[in-house]
Amino acid sequence: MMMKYWSTLPRSMFSLYMAITGGISWGELSDPLSDVSGIYVALFAGYIILTQLAVLNVLTGVFCQNAIDSAQHDQDLVTQALMANKEFYVNRIKEIFKTIDTDGSGGLTIQEFRQHLGDDSIVAYFESLELDVTDVWTLFKLLDGRGQRDR
């Protein structure tokens, strides 16, 4: 058996390849090595451990990470996710504006807006939407499409 698997460098390399790819049993390859020396069996076991647990798992991890990165950067998927979240954000902002509209007019004045920006619950509400207070002021100015600052 020693001559069959370990007699030359190419045969030895092929035997090691078969061992990690399942082409031959590890026990079948280690038996002839144990006849020569236990050190060779330990080196063979170390090779199997290194290739199976370390190298192959690292390679698998690299391929999986590349696939994950590709999926995250796929513009179609990003666009689809943003569209799915749009309705959620619109409804949350409507709720906030209804809360701020203290006179029930259906519109916001700049006074109502300023008055409620000091309210911690309103600020926390905006922060839950990942909006900073300066972003909220910009949003108010954008929504004031008529150019009026009082309504």
Side-chain angles (χ1 to χ4, degrees):
M1 291 288 262
M2 185 69 166
M3 296 302 287
K4 181 177 179 182
Y5 297 119
W6 305 106
S7 62
T8 65
L9 182 62
R11 281 187 185 185
S12 297
M13 290 173 60
F14 188 63
S15 296
L16 292 173
Y17 172 75
M18 288 191 304
I20 63 167
T21 59
I24 194 164
S25 165
W26 301 344
E28 190 176 334
L29 288 174
S30 65
D31 284 342
L33 295 175
S34 65
D35 292 339
V36 176
S37 173
I39 293 174
Y40 292 127
V41 175
L43 288 172
F44 178 66
Y47 166 78
I48 297 297
I49 291 169
L50 179 69
T51 56
Q52 288 290 325
L53 301 179
V55 176
L56 295 178
N57 284 336
V58 168
L59 288 175
T60 303
V62 168
F63 284 118
C64 289
Q65 188 61 44
N66 284 337
I68 290 169
D69 290 344
S70 294
Q72 287 177 342
H73 291 94
D74 185 1
Q75 188 62 38
D76 292 336
L77 291 176
V78 171
T79 302
Q80 184 178 11
L82 288 174
M83 294 301 289
N85 289 332
K86 180 182 177 182
E87 185 176 343
F88 168 77
Y89 284 110
V90 168
N91 289 334
R92 292 285 302 245
I93 289 176
K94 283 181 181 179
E95 289 175 26
I96 293 170
F97 285 174
K98 283 180 185 177
T99 304
I100 293 174
D101 183 21
T102 53
D103 64 3
S105 65
L108 289 178
T109 63
I110 197 157
Q111 290 81 14
E112 287 175 321
F113 199 69
R114 280 188 184 145
Q115 177 184 1
H116 286 87
L117 275 184
D119 185 356
D120 289 338
S121 64
I122 298 296
V123 171
Y125 217 28
F126 280 121
E127 286 176 355
S128 73
L129 295 173
E130 299 178 8
L131 291 173
D132 187 82
V133 175
T134 57
D135 295 332
V136 175
W137 274 111
T138 304
L139 177 63
F140 185 82
K141 291 174 188 173
L142 287 172
L143 292 175
D144 188 22
R146 295 173 295 182
Q148 299 173 350
R149 298 286 180 225
D150 60 342
R151 269 199 125 2

